[in-house]
Amino acid sequence: MRRIVFLLLMFCSVEIAYSTVGNDDVTDGLANGAFKKSKAMLKAEDKALENKLCGKPCPEFTLNDSEGKLWTHRSIRGKVTLINIWHVYCEPCINEFPQLNELTKKYPEANFLSMTFNTPEQVEKVKLKNKLMYHQLFEAINFISKTGITATPTCLLIDKSGTIRYVFRGADEKQCKRIVKKMKELSKEEL
């Protein structure tokens, strides 16, 4: 339980930094040295996470989705897979749900998995309210820990061989466009 509380606090603190600093609407008056330093630190963290994960196999996992289907790191092979890491208290995460729903329509041949450390009951409330169209995997704390992801939302884009190719942190239109571009590229690759 302590581990979950610690991770929740860690996610929320970094998420707040992302939603504040990552916002392109920050006025010049607000974009002081503290914001610029924070933005630089976030970029460095992004680069470190990319270096740690990109080019490596997807970490092992065995999780059931909200419909009872079993998903594993092996079962995603053969298809491009987007894993979205989020939690129920993350406003930017919830705001990106419509964009992710649109991606599932645009790329029906891909796997779309959403992982959170939250409980099935917590996820179900959010799922019903937001009409999520992709697979929800809950209590994924071991997977999240293995990746070293400390901010939500974060997406991992995995190629057909099961290798993590791209990491996307934060939720905005630019990020969604980057995901679409990279999904197109990976969809064309042969296994």
Side-chain angles (χ1 to χ4, degrees), residues 11 22 88 95 121 130 154 191:
F11 277 137
V88 299
N95 291 340
E121 296 79 20
N130 294 281
T154 297
L191 185 58

Side-chain angles (χ1 to χ4, degrees), residues 97-127:
F97 290 160
Q99 294 170 335
L100 293 173
N101 279 340
E102 286 302 311
L103 282 176
T104 64
K105 292 178 197 173
K106 192 170 185 166
Y107 294 96
E109 70 283 357
N111 293 317
F112 288 87
L113 305 178
S114 189
M115 292 188 187
T116 180
F117 56 79
N118 295 112
T119 66
E121 296 79 20
Q122 291 170 314
V123 171
E124 193 61 27
K125 287 178 188 176
V126 174
K127 182 181 174 187

Side-chain angles (χ1 to χ4, degrees), residues 50-118:
E50 288 173 6
N51 289 339
K52 176 183 177 182
L53 296 174
C54 293
K56 310 272 185 339
C58 178
E60 293 182 12
F61 69 91
T62 302
L63 295 164
N64 288 314
D65 68 16
S66 56
E67 306 301 318
K69 181 176 179 180
L70 181 68
W71 290 90
T72 70
H73 58 288
R74 289 185 185 97
S75 69
I76 64 171
R77 290 190 182 141
K79 292 184 175 187
V80 173
T81 301
L82 182 76
I83 296 178
N84 173 252
I85 309 295
W86 71 288
H87 65 88
V88 299
Y89 305 109
C90 170
E91 189 175 329
C93 298
I94 292 168
N95 291 340
E96 94 175 327
F97 290 160
Q99 294 170 335
L100 293 173
N101 279 340
E102 286 302 311
L103 282 176
T104 64
K105 292 178 197 173
K106 192 170 185 166
Y107 294 96
E109 70 283 357
N111 293 317
F112 288 87
L113 305 178
S114 189
M115 292 188 187
T116 180
F117 56 79
N118 295 112

Side-chain angles (χ1 to χ4, degrees), residues 16-32:
I16 290 166
Y18 251 100
S19 61
T20 304
V21 178
N23 188 345
D24 289 337
D25 297 347
V26 175
T27 63
D28 290 337
L30 293 175
N32 59 29

Side-chain angles (χ1 to χ4, degrees), residues 1 8 12 42 55 58 62 65 99 108 111 113-114 119 121 131 133 136 142 146-147 159 167 183 189:
M1 184 64 170
L8 179 59
C12 289
L42 291 172
C58 178
T62 302
D65 68 16
Q99 294 170 335
N111 293 317
L113 305 178
S114 189
T119 66
E121 296 79 20
K131 299 177 181 138
M133 299 171 59
Q136 301 299 312
N142 288 334
K146 287 177 191 176
T147 63
D159 67 18
V167 178
M183 283 193 83
E189 290 182 1

